């Protein structure tokens, strides 16, 4: 893929096919992208780098995850009791 | 949608449903042919005056009535597997919509760009306008662009439901805590009806699904207006 991450984000239509999750059950696809977004933010900002590449994960999890799941997880992160490892 | 005294499937609105329809015709024709043959043989057996009781074996007919069923089964299996694999193809959707089942309505979320979400309740019978369909119409329809591959992620917020639209050949269980993916393309614009297909309580029969396929510009207008209303 010679496309830069910026181009991919700019021409984003919807979450593309992810070969890690080829089957009907896409629960993990949504959750993994949510985790990856927060991990990416944490990793890049701790090094003082630009966090714009992380936007890709955000677009994907916003496309895939139900809004109620996202707001529940965001609230858990705010309260400090999110069960996943970020 | 379904018609009174309907015998067969609803008209197909997606390529997969067309394939399923034709396969069903093919398999059913084989079933009719076999049933007719068997019925004819039974009638012939019962009404014959011939009483030869000494036929013990016959290699030729045994070969025929072993080989022919095997061939017929292969003729059924090959188209069936073709459609199965066709349905399993990797597709590249243009749009992702989430259909969330609640007791007793569906909610649709279009979150690829903005956060658009709305509920879709059945229109009660007393509020129908002339020409609308009883127990099938909803206040808000799931609008999609025609001839675009759509990914629908189905889930539920309380109990089991199932998102089904027969004319698109789509049915997917809605399980709380799980995200089930299905995909389709509408081959023509139109309005396609479905009903909840998993028992979910008192109003299980009263939470229908309406999918409206429109040209892309209409879809863009609609989503803009829906976002404004929200």
């Amino acid at each position: 893929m010679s496309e830069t991450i910026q181009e991919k984000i700019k021409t984003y239509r919807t979450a593309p096919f992810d070969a890690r999750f080829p089957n009907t059950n896409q629960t993990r696809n949504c959750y993994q992208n949510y985790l990856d977004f927060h991990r990416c933010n944490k990793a890049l900002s701790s090094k003082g780098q630009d966090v714009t590449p992380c936007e890709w994960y955000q677009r994907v999890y916003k496309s895939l995850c139900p809004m109620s799941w996202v707001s529940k997880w965001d609230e858990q992160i705010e309260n400090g009791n999110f069960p996943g490892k970020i | 949608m379904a018609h009174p005294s309907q015998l067969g499937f609803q008209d197909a609105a997606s390529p997969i449903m067309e394939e399923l329809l034709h396969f069903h015709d093919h398999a059913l024709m084989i079933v009719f042919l076999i049933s007719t043959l068997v019925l004819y043989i039974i009638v012939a057996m019962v009404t014959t005056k011939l009483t030869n009781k000494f036929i013990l074996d016959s290699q030729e007919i045994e070969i025929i009535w072993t080989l022919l069923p095997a061939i017929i089964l292969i003729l059924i299996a090959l188209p069936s597997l073709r459609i199965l694999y066709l349905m399993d193809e990797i597709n590249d959707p243009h749009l992702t919509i989430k259909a969330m089942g609640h007791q007793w309505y569906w909610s649709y979320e279009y979150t690829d760009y903005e956060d658009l979400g709305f509920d879709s309740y059945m229109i009660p019978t007393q509020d129908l306008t002339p020409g609308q369909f009883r127990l099938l119409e909803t206040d808000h329809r799931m609008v999609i662009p025609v001839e675009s591959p759509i990914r629908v992620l189905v889930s539920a917020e309380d109990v089991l439901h199932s998102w089904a639209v027969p004319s698109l050949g789509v049915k997917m269980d809605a399980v709380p805590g799980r995200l089930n993916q299905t995909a389709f393309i509408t081959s023509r614009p139109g309005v396609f009806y479905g009903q909840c297909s998993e028992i979910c309580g008192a109003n299980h029969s009263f939470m229908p699904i309406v999918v409206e396929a429109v040209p892309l510009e209409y879809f863009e207008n609609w989503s803009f207006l829906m976002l404004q209303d929200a």
Side-chain angles (χ1 to χ4, degrees):
Chain A
M1 283 281 157
S2 53
E3 230 180 84
T4 66
I5 191 72
Q6 309 287 21
E7 284 165 18
K8 271 169 68 174
I9 292 175
K10 239 183 8 176
T11 55
Y12 183 84
R13 228 169 12 183
T14 190
F17 170 72
D18 190 336
R20 298 174 297 169
F21 314 102
N23 299 319
T24 302
N25 187 0
Q26 295 288 298
T27 318
R28 198 75 203 181
N29 193 354
C30 143
Y31 186 59
Q32 193 61 52
N33 279 285
Y34 184 82
L35 284 178
D36 289 346
F37 170 67
H38 285 95
R39 288 174 184 169
C40 172
N41 267 347
K42 183 173 171 192
L44 291 184
S45 52
S46 70
K47 292 197 205 137
Q49 287 174 11
D50 180 29
V51 293
T52 18
C54 305
E55 197 189 318
W56 172 259
Y57 298 117
Q58 183 174 46
R59 296 298 298 269
V60 174
Y61 89 65
K62 275 200 170 302
S63 283
L64 296 176
C65 301
M67 300 194 291
S68 61
W69 294 12
V70 174
S71 44
K72 184 179 84 179
W73 292 336
D74 286 344
E75 201 184 302
Q76 284 177 338
I77 290 185
E78 249 174 84
N79 295 339
N81 58 357
F82 180 70
K85 192 166 98 131
I86 292 184
Chain B
M1 55 155 281
H3 299 275
S5 320
Q6 179 177 328
L7 285 180
F9 291 118
Q10 296 179 26
D11 289 340
S14 80
I16 295 284
M17 190 58 203
E18 277 178 49
E19 298 279 351
L20 288 169
L21 228 151
H22 294 315
F23 172 72
H24 178 265
D25 289 345
H26 165 77
L28 194 61
M29 181 54 69
I30 293 176
V31 166
F32 283 158
L33 289 173
I34 294 173
S35 305
T36 311
L37 176 68
V38 169
L39 186 63
Y40 168 75
I41 291 172
I42 289 173
V43 168
M45 291 285 179
V46 162
T47 56
T48 188
K49 295 285 189 292
L50 301 171
T51 52
N52 188 342
K53 295 178 288 221
F54 300 109
I55 302 173
L56 292 175
D57 65 351
S58 161
Q59 185 73 340
E60 295 81 6
I61 197 171
E62 292 273 355
I63 288 179
I64 290 173
W65 69 33
T66 304
L67 224 45
L68 210 51
I71 293 172
I72 290 173
L73 286 175
I74 291 177
L75 286 181
I76 295 176
L78 289 179
S80 176
L81 290 172
R82 185 181 69 87
I83 297 177
L84 189 65
Y85 279 76
L86 206 67
M87 289 165 77
D88 213 21
E89 290 243 325
I90 295 171
N91 39 28
D92 176 34
H94 291 186
L95 183 64
T96 299
I97 303 173
K98 276 153 281 179
M100 307 291 293
H102 309 251
Q103 282 178 313
W104 287 280
Y105 62 97
W106 292 94
S107 64
Y108 299 108
E109 299 175 9
Y110 295 65
T111 51
D112 287 324
Y113 307 104
E114 308 285 335
D115 280 348
L116 170 60
F118 56 90
D119 298 336
S120 176
Y121 279 86
M122 182 185 85
I123 296 182
T125 307
Q126 62 260 34
D127 297 342
L128 290 171
T129 57
Q132 287 190 309
F133 302 120
R134 191 179 71 93
L135 307 184
L136 285 176
E137 301 283 0
T138 56
D139 53 3
H140 298 113
R141 295 172 171 175
M142 183 179 114
V143 180
I144 56 173
V146 70
E147 286 178 7
S148 290
I150 310 282
R151 171 203 274 132
V152 178
L153 295 166
V154 183
S155 188
E157 296 279 21
D158 36 48
V159 299
L160 294 179
H161 300 269
S162 185
W163 196 82
V165 184
S167 51
L168 299 173
V170 164
K171 183 179 293 181
M172 188 53 73
D173 281 355
V175 180
R178 184 181 164 111
L179 212 50
N180 279 336
Q181 174 178 275
T182 185
F184 58 85
I185 281 190
T186 37
S187 15
R188 56 185 166 89
V191 183
F192 312 114
Y193 295 90
Q195 294 176 287
C196 179
S197 300
E198 184 68 42
I199 187 87
C200 54
N203 287 345
H204 155 68
S205 317
F206 310 116
M207 46 182 291
I209 294 135
V210 187
V211 176
E212 185 176 338
V214 296
L216 186 58
E217 313 83 60
Y218 287 73
F219 170 73
E220 286 169 346
N221 275 346
W222 168 85
S223 49
F224 176 70
L225 292 169
M226 288 296 285
L227 271 167
Q228 281 192 323
D229 280 346

